[in-house]
Amino acid sequence: MASFESTALAATASEAYGPQIGFGARHAKALSVARHLSLSLLLSITLIFFVEWIARNSVTESALFFLDPARPAWTTAGVFFLIFLALDAAFARENYGVILIAPLALVPALVSRQKQIFLSDPLYPTDFLFGRQIMELMPVLVRDRPWTAVGIAVGMVAAVAGLAWLGRFAWRRFPVLTRRQRLARLAVALPLLGAFYHLMDYNNFSWVRDRLQVIPIMWDQTENYRHNGFTMAFALNLPMANVTAPAGYMSDAINKIPTKPVPAGTTHRGKPDVIVLMSESFWDPTRLPNVKLTPDPMPTIRKMQSGNVFSPEFGGMTANVEFEALTGFSNAFLPYGSIPYQQYIRNPIPSLATFFRGEGYVARAVHPFQKWFWNRSAVYKAFGFEQFKSEENMPVMQKRGIFASDESLTKEIIREAEQLRDPFFFFTVTLQGHGPYEANRYAKNTIKVEGNLPAVDKQVLETYAQGIKEADDSLKMLMDWAKERDRETIIVLFGDHLPPLNTVYPSTGFMNDVTASRKGPLEQMKAQHETPLVVWSNKTGPVKDIGTISPAFLSYQILKQGGFEHPYYTGFLGNIFDKYHIIDRYMLVDNAGKDTPAWGRQKTIPSLIRDYRFLQHDMMFGQRYGTDRFFQSHADLFAGATQ
């Protein structure tokens, strides 16, 4: 970072003053420019220091942010320096950009600090989508910290008055830049700022961004803000704040959405227990060409398989698949790269948990990892789960490598289920299948891999295949237990995404790269995004021929199998499913298997998809006009989920 700052200083000095003046005069001018630019750099460093001091509430932590070479404090200061150069040029005043940028940097840091005091989380750009939540924080602040509130109010008035005076003073007194000086600053600042802007897309790896120590840590926003600093972490989250209402969204549009007049509740039999297993990175490795796995690592699932889930993700981003499965909403209608669990779930929202609780069920989420991961603790509460069983409040799990084993987790599910008398809904996220697939994770690999593979790829595949076998064995254990129960028990298992097998994919010829494509022909997309799906009942056996479906339709399949009817989950989603089975950001696939690529760029979209988008926006970001028609039985539960 220091190199590009010195380059900026030299380039600005050189371009601003030509050879027409004498050497002494040029030398004096160059020193003057260097002094002014050095002051801008010092001001940018000072500003970032104060921003971090406020956001972290610690001078020491702010200092450590600058002293740690593995964190992007100096990169952030360099970016602010370039912004100052550009603004100085735009307003033709030396160091005028500091006056404009300082309040825009300091005030959000102050708001973030207050938010952390009351809500634990830092300030996200998406918080401004929920302005009411910020306003609701004000009475709490006034009540609990009245002098702080008074100080903030007085400080804001004084700051506005001071900035107005300073702006006027600076306009009159700060040195005026010549046209050559302005053009020189713009010539240096704008290209570098443009290049840095393109580096900030965290969906793509950037070697340069890595070297600048800007590391997007989107699955853990606390660590994201700690490592990258308030300003840079806030900037990384900016693209996801661009959620606008779909054209035509209004109360009349929601009221016109047709729905089947169905009652909420069971239709023809007693209330079954429901266990949903989202199996980490579960996939069928026998799909890999040019290799042979013996014996079959997943005989139970192969026999019971109902279809496939078309995952919107690959190799990670589990929370996005989970979001669709639990809400019946789609990532296809959200900004590219967004993570609803991190950016949008601020208020209670209807889900399968609120549905089942409305039916008198115990609704429990189970995941043998720490509750902060993917913000699950707050999200599950907003979804209406009564309890989240995480690593912190579960018995010690047997490990496979560093992760809790599927067998141990299955035994815990059985133990908890046997303690309940009321019908229950368990949503469980397994952990054993998580990568990387290191050597010696298992004492013995019982799946033999044959094929012309590099040794490292063979080892990775053997480790992964052994995990698949143990996941299959654990499902069989759960099914064997369920077969002995009197109450109907529905078990649903699906993989969240294909595993990150890295060079195994190109080595076997499965695909050309180590990651899947996001756009392409339907068969290619299905191969790279399909994971196994099992929907099974201890009374009726497996459901067959579901086909390949988006995770958003899992709620429809689960309630349909359970004999439930519901205005949204079976009525509205049922209408959608009658026409479309896959709703992806880049393609729609109808029930006949015909795909419509780039549907979102067309002038008109199908009315069913339009209504789906309207209703999702209404419940997540809008006025919830559709609550009475589509989620009436949930209203009391999701309205009070955060109390």
Side-chain angles (χ1 to χ4, degrees):
M1 200 66 198
S3 62
F4 98 67
E5 289 161 4
S6 59
T7 301
L9 294 172
T12 306
S14 174
E15 297 226 15
Y17 303 99
Q20 70 273 18
I21 60 178
F23 174 79
R26 277 191 281 119
H27 183 66
K29 287 289 186 182
L31 286 176
S32 175
V33 170
R35 282 196 300 271
H36 285 298
L37 295 179
S38 296
L39 177 60
S40 290
L41 179 58
L42 179 61
L43 288 171
S44 71
I45 295 170
T46 303
L47 178 58
I48 297 303
F49 182 88
F50 276 96
V51 166
E52 294 303 319
W53 181 1
I54 293 169
R56 299 170 190 268
N57 196 34
S58 171
V59 177
T60 302
E61 287 297 320
S62 184
L64 290 175
F65 180 57
F66 276 89
L67 294 173
D68 187 349
R71 292 197 274 176
W74 298 102
T75 298
T76 309
V79 170
F80 269 67
F81 170 68
L82 294 174
I83 293 172
F84 290 167
L85 288 187
L87 289 174
D88 290 350
F91 288 91
R93 295 294 187 278
E94 195 80 57
N95 292 321
Y96 199 77
V98 179
I99 298 171
L100 301 175
I101 294 297
L104 298 179
L106 293 169
V107 171
L110 179 61
V111 174
S112 181
R113 182 60 204 154
Q114 295 305 312
K115 184 188 173 194
Q116 288 181 79
I117 291 172
F118 294 100
L119 301 177
S120 299
D121 279 342
L123 183 71
Y124 305 121
T126 47
D127 284 329
F128 295 101
L129 298 172
F130 304 92
R132 184 174 62 183
Q133 183 185 26
I134 297 175
M135 295 308 298
E136 286 173 353
L137 183 61
M138 293 301 104
V140 178
L141 174 63
V142 172
R143 183 179 65 248
D144 291 354
R145 292 171 174 254
W147 289 112
T148 300
V150 170
I152 290 173
V154 172
M156 289 180 65
V157 171
V160 170
L163 285 170
W165 177 86
L166 185 58
R168 185 180 180 188
F169 175 85
W171 188 261
R172 292 179 173 181
R173 300 294 183 88
F174 282 16
V176 177
L177 297 174
T178 66
R179 183 178 181 183
R180 291 177 68 88
Q181 290 172 321
R182 295 171 69 187
L183 290 176
R185 282 164 168 74
L186 291 175
V188 171
L190 294 184
L192 288 174
L193 286 172
F196 187 79
Y197 173 80
H198 286 289
L199 295 178
M200 292 295 282
D201 180 5
Y202 68 77
N203 294 287
N204 298 309
F205 173 77
S206 168
W207 183 90
V208 176
R209 186 182 65 215
D210 238 26
R211 302 290 78 74
L212 294 175
Q213 305 303 330
V214 180
I215 312 295
I217 311 173
M218 310 310 288
W219 58 91
D220 180 4
Q221 290 291 349
T222 299
E223 179 62 16
N224 192 30
Y225 277 73
R226 188 203 70 82
H227 172 85
N228 292 304
F230 173 78
T231 305
M232 201 63 74
F234 191 88
L236 284 166
N237 281 295
L238 272 172
M240 279 62 72
N242 186 28
V243 179
T244 57
Y249 167 71
M250 60 184 70
S251 59
D252 286 347
I254 299 297
N255 293 334
K256 289 178 181 177
I257 297 176
T259 185
K260 298 175 183 177
V262 295
T266 42
T267 56
H268 60 79
R269 61 179 186 266
K271 295 180 179 181
D273 292 329
V274 179
I275 301 173
V276 178
L277 302 163
M278 186 171 73
S279 188
E280 173 62 45
S281 298
F282 192 93
W283 178 63
D284 181 359
T286 66
R287 286 190 171 200
L288 291 168
N290 304 314
V291 292
K292 182 180 180 182
L293 279 65
T294 52
D296 184 357
M298 44 179 281
T300 302
I301 292 173
R302 198 173 308 285
K303 180 179 178 181
M304 301 296 177
Q305 190 165 347
S306 304
N308 296 286
V309 165
F310 185 91
S311 176
E313 304 296 344
F314 175 89
M317 294 295 188
T318 296
N320 283 354
V321 184
E322 188 176 331
F323 163 77
E324 290 201 15
L326 280 170
T327 63
F329 296 148
S330 176
N331 288 288
F333 306 134
L334 298 173
Y336 176 72
S338 62
I339 306 168
Y341 273 27
Q342 295 287 10
Q343 289 120 3
Y344 306 132
I345 310 300
R346 297 285 187 275
N347 296 308
I349 187 172
S351 72
L352 281 178
T354 53
F355 167 79
F356 279 111
R357 284 185 62 192
E359 292 294 313
Y361 277 61
V362 173
R364 186 173 296 173
V366 184
H367 179 49
F369 197 60
Q370 297 169 22
K371 61 185 179 181
W372 57 264
F373 199 68
W374 285 129
N375 199 31
R376 281 192 174 102
S377 181
V379 169
Y380 285 157
K381 191 174 183 181
F383 281 175
F385 282 102
E386 294 169 280
Q387 189 177 23
F388 174 23
K389 302 287 285 187
S390 64
E391 184 179 61
E392 290 87 349
N393 57 9
M394 293 175 69
V396 176
M397 299 276 107
Q398 181 186 12
K399 304 287 187 179
R400 290 290 188 270
I402 63 173
F403 300 122
S405 73
D406 286 350
E407 178 185 5
S408 185
L409 178 60
T410 301
K411 289 178 179 178
E412 175 61 16
I413 292 169
I414 293 172
R415 186 189 70 81
E416 292 191 25
E418 290 180 341
Q419 292 178 344
L420 298 173
R421 294 293 173 263
D422 292 331
F424 61 80
F425 165 62
F426 285 177
F427 182 82
T428 304
V429 183
T430 73
L431 192 58
Q432 180 177 336
H434 204 290
Y437 306 104
E438 70 280 6
N440 304 315
R441 178 186 289 194
Y442 303 100
K444 182 180 180 181
N445 287 340
T446 61
I447 305 299
K448 183 180 180 182
V449 176
E450 298 177 285
N452 186 22
L453 284 178
V456 65
D457 289 339
K458 184 177 181 182
Q459 172 267 303
V460 166
L461 185 53
E462 285 178 345
T463 298
Y464 177 74
Q466 182 65 28
I468 292 297
K469 178 189 183 300
E470 296 197 8
D472 191 82
D473 291 343
S474 296
L475 178 64
K476 184 178 185 302
M477 178 198 305
L478 190 62
M479 287 178 167
D480 289 344
W481 165 78
K483 289 174 183 176
E484 302 300 319
R485 306 188 78 217
D486 292 332
R487 180 181 288 167
E488 181 177 9
T489 305
I490 295 171
I491 297 174
V492 177
L493 177 141
F494 65 98
D496 52 352
H497 50 68
L498 269 69
L501 295 179
N502 298 317
T503 53
V504 169
Y505 292 121
S507 294
T508 59
F510 180 76
M511 57 191 187
N512 295 329
D513 206 347
V514 297
T515 58
S517 303
R518 288 302 294 125
K519 303 177 186 177
L522 176 59
E523 289 310 309
Q524 177 189 351
M525 292 298 96
K526 289 175 71 175
Q528 297 179 5
H529 291 273
E530 281 184 339
T531 64
L533 168 65
V534 173
V535 180
W536 176 89
S537 165
N538 63 344
K539 301 299 183 185
T540 60
V543 178
K544 290 291 187 178
D545 302 321
I546 288 178
T548 299
I549 66 172
S550 287
F553 291 119
L554 284 168
S555 55
Y556 166 68
Q557 296 294 335
I558 292 166
L559 298 194
K560 180 182 175 184
Q561 173 62 19
F564 293 97
E565 291 181 339
H566 183 267
Y568 179 77
Y569 290 113
T570 60
F572 180 78
L573 285 185
N575 289 341
I576 303 288
F577 190 76
D578 287 344
K579 178 66 176 176
Y580 301 101
H581 285 189
I582 297 174
I583 299 177
D584 183 67
R585 189 181 307 278
Y586 299 107
M587 68 168 59
L588 292 175
V589 181
D590 64 23
N591 57 4
K594 184 179 184 301
D595 65 305
T596 304
W599 61 271
R601 295 188 176 184
Q602 297 179 3
K603 290 184 178 180
T604 59
I605 63 175
S607 58
L608 279 172
I609 303 302
R610 177 204 63 203
D611 291 346
Y612 190 6
R613 187 177 182 184
F614 279 164
L615 193 51
Q616 176 172 323
H617 184 88
D618 184 54
M619 300 309 295
M620 289 187 68
F621 308 105
Q623 300 301 313
R624 297 193 169 184
Y625 300 122
T627 299
D628 289 342
R629 293 184 64 211
F630 294 97
F631 298 100
Q632 185 175 18
S633 63
H634 303 231
D636 291 341
L637 288 168
F638 74 73
T642 58
Q643 295 178 355

